[in-house]
Amino acid sequence: MSHRIRALASGLASLAMASSFALPAARADAPAKSDTFVFHASLADGLGFRTEQDKFVLDAGVLSQMRFDAISNSDGLASDGFNVAVVRPYIRARAFHDQVRFFVQPELATATPKLLDLEIAWQPIPELGIKVGQFLTPFSRAFFTPVPILQFPDFSRVNEKFRAGRDTGMMLFGSTGKGRLEYYAGAFNGNGIDKGGNDDTSVMGIGRLAVSPVRAMTYDETPSLRGAVPFGISIGVNGIADRAHPTKQQTDPATGAQTTVTLPAETRLTAGADVFIAWDRFTFLAEAYARQVQPDEGKRIQGFGGYAQAGYFVVPKRFEIAARAGVMDPDTSKPDTERSVEGLLNGYVVGNHLKMGLRYMWLRTDAKTADGYAAGTNHKLTFQVQLWI
């Protein structure tokens, strides 16, 4: 009996030793755990998914803005009505922990749909990245701020007059000092959006340099939506150099047909500077511009402009009051000076994702403007609802 017990104990010990050596081999042969997808769908984050380790992120959403505008001048009510101002569905993708980024966004609210943004960026290190495609040109802090997080319903009229718009090209960018110093340097076709190829033999160069000595300052005009923020200031300088070959449409007096006439080539130089301050529930932004156009034939054209805006959250995260004032003289040789003063009330239901704004603008112009404002004093009332998913 004792012999059988000893044999059984010896067998169990051998089995235990065999199992202890077999288990590691079994774990080594097992497949590695996959990086599973996590889906999300909400008003604040849109619709999308990401991997648990953030190797790949995809977000889809839409920005929509609905407005009521009423404009009056010395002749009485000039226009009023409702308008769907913006409908911009978008897809944003990020890969390899944000080193590779892709963004595409059309505009569907215009009479003819158009592509606004189609960009691919690669930034292996914070100090250096490259972006190609059609995207926002790096001139002025305001224009670099995404539309959903602007303070006012639209950009200042001064900003729209002096900056370049979206364009197709390539840009180098980067930052250092934890975002306290940033730079952007790009080369673009100079023909605007949705125009394939270059319409002349030169490119438009645009650059921006910004420093934030206290802390990094994101491009957001409503930072206090996240609560009171510590003091921060950012100062930026911008420049545009463009060798342009302008054209204009002209009616043939004999046939009545429209023909394109080539104008003398010209050199366009634009400089800009901006300062942005955020502290507690207060924000302040000011930008100034100067432009010189030198045609190969004709007189030099000079222009200048500037504006400032400030806002304060009276009710934290819910209710904001803001004001903006601007002046510009796009061509000092012509009577085309504009002065404007604006007041704004913003109500935030779900941050910038669902907000309403009521804006009044007083505009004084020396001459009728290209966008239809009459010479003299104009008044404009705008009520806007923004839904950003």
Side-chain angles (χ1 to χ4, degrees):
M1 179 68 67
S2 61
H3 174 71
R4 290 179 179 177
I5 293 175
R6 285 196 298 271
L8 178 61
S10 177
L12 291 173
S14 299
L15 179 61
M17 293 179 64
S19 299
S20 65
F21 285 100
L23 284 174
R27 286 196 298 268
D29 295 338
K33 184 179 179 179
S34 61
D35 193 2
T36 58
F37 291 104
V38 178
F39 291 88
H40 62 266
S42 69
L43 180 61
D45 298 323
L47 176 67
F49 64 86
R50 67 186 64 223
T51 61
E52 288 184 341
Q53 299 180 20
D54 276 349
K55 290 182 179 178
F56 183 79
V57 180
L58 180 69
D59 294 299
V62 62
L63 169 66
S64 58
Q65 294 177 343
M66 289 69 71
R67 294 183 186 176
F68 171 81
D69 289 313
I71 301 174
S72 65
N73 51 43
S74 59
D75 294 329
L77 184 64
S79 66
D80 66 337
F82 295 92
N83 181 36
V84 178
V86 169
V87 178
R88 299 178 181 178
Y90 67 87
I91 295 176
R92 189 188 309 272
R94 295 176 284 128
F96 306 111
H97 304 287
D98 284 355
Q99 288 189 16
V100 178
R101 299 185 289 273
F102 170 80
F103 180 64
V104 59
Q105 175 180 246
E107 174 60 82
L108 304 183
T110 52
T112 302
K114 58 185 177 181
L115 178 67
L116 292 182
D117 303 279
L118 178 60
E119 60 185 65
I120 300 174
W122 177 50
Q123 190 176 13
I125 57 176
E127 293 79 8
L128 180 63
I130 184 172
K131 180 184 290 188
V132 296
Q134 178 174 287
F135 50 90
L136 296 171
T137 53
F139 186 88
S140 95
R141 180 180 182 88
F143 190 53
F144 235 33
T145 302
V147 168
I149 52 181
L150 291 173
Q151 189 172 61
F152 278 76
D154 42 31
F155 296 103
S156 164
R157 291 178 59 83
V158 186
N159 177 276
E160 293 177 338
K161 191 67 175 181
F162 284 87
R163 64 164 163 79
R166 288 173 168 86
D167 216 312
T168 304
M170 178 183 71
M171 180 176 73
L172 298 177
F173 66 96
S175 65
T176 187
K178 296 182 179 180
R180 289 186 173 90
L181 177 65
E182 55 190 271
Y183 72 91
Y184 308 86
F188 303 89
N189 284 338
N191 0 334
I193 64 173
D194 292 350
K195 296 179 181 178
N198 196 350
D199 60 1
D200 54 35
T201 57
S202 61
V203 297
M204 176 175 61
I206 303 181
R208 172 172 172 81
L209 181 67
V211 58
S212 304
V214 180
R215 60 180 177 88
M217 300 288 284
T218 58
Y219 288 83
D220 182 355
E221 293 183 4
T222 59
S224 300
L225 273 175
R226 298 182 293 273
V229 297
F231 176 79
I233 181 172
S234 179
I235 301 171
V237 292
N238 318 272
I240 303 176
D242 185 23
R243 178 66 174 170
H245 297 76
T247 61
K248 72 173 183 179
Q249 293 295 312
Q250 181 173 295
T251 303
D252 189 317
T255 64
Q258 289 284 323
T259 58
T260 300
V261 178
T262 301
L263 301 177
E266 57 189 30
T267 300
R268 303 171 181 173
L269 302 176
T270 308
D274 51 73
V275 58
F276 178 69
I277 297 173
W279 185 23
D280 194 40
R281 289 180 276 166
F282 172 78
T283 57
F284 173 81
L285 171 65
E287 298 190 337
Y289 318 95
R291 180 168 60 196
Q292 175 180 291
V293 179
Q294 180 61 68
D296 289 354
E297 302 174 14
K299 295 182 179 180
R300 177 183 300 175
I301 301 171
Q302 293 180 319
F304 69 89
Y307 75 95
Q309 67 185 58
Y312 184 77
F313 273 84
V314 179
V315 179
K317 303 181 182 181
R318 292 298 182 185
F319 181 66
E320 178 189 32
I321 59 174
R324 181 164 68 188
V327 60
M328 65 173 168
D329 187 357
D331 186 346
T332 56
S333 66
K334 296 180 179 180
D336 58 356
T337 301
E338 284 190 21
R339 298 173 181 86
S340 61
V341 178
E342 301 169 74
L344 175 70
L345 303 176
N346 274 333
Y348 297 85
V349 182
V350 187
N352 281 305
H353 296 278
L354 179 57
K355 70 177 182 181
M356 294 170 283
L358 180 64
R359 186 264 307 272
Y360 165 76
M361 179 178 69
W362 173 90
L363 175 65
R364 177 75 181 181
T365 67
D366 286 349
K368 183 177 180 180
T369 65
D371 53 351
Y373 289 98
T377 301
N378 297 264
H379 306 273
K380 182 177 182 179
L381 185 68
T382 301
F383 175 71
Q384 176 172 286
V385 177
Q386 173 173 289
L387 178 62
W388 178 32
I389 300 176

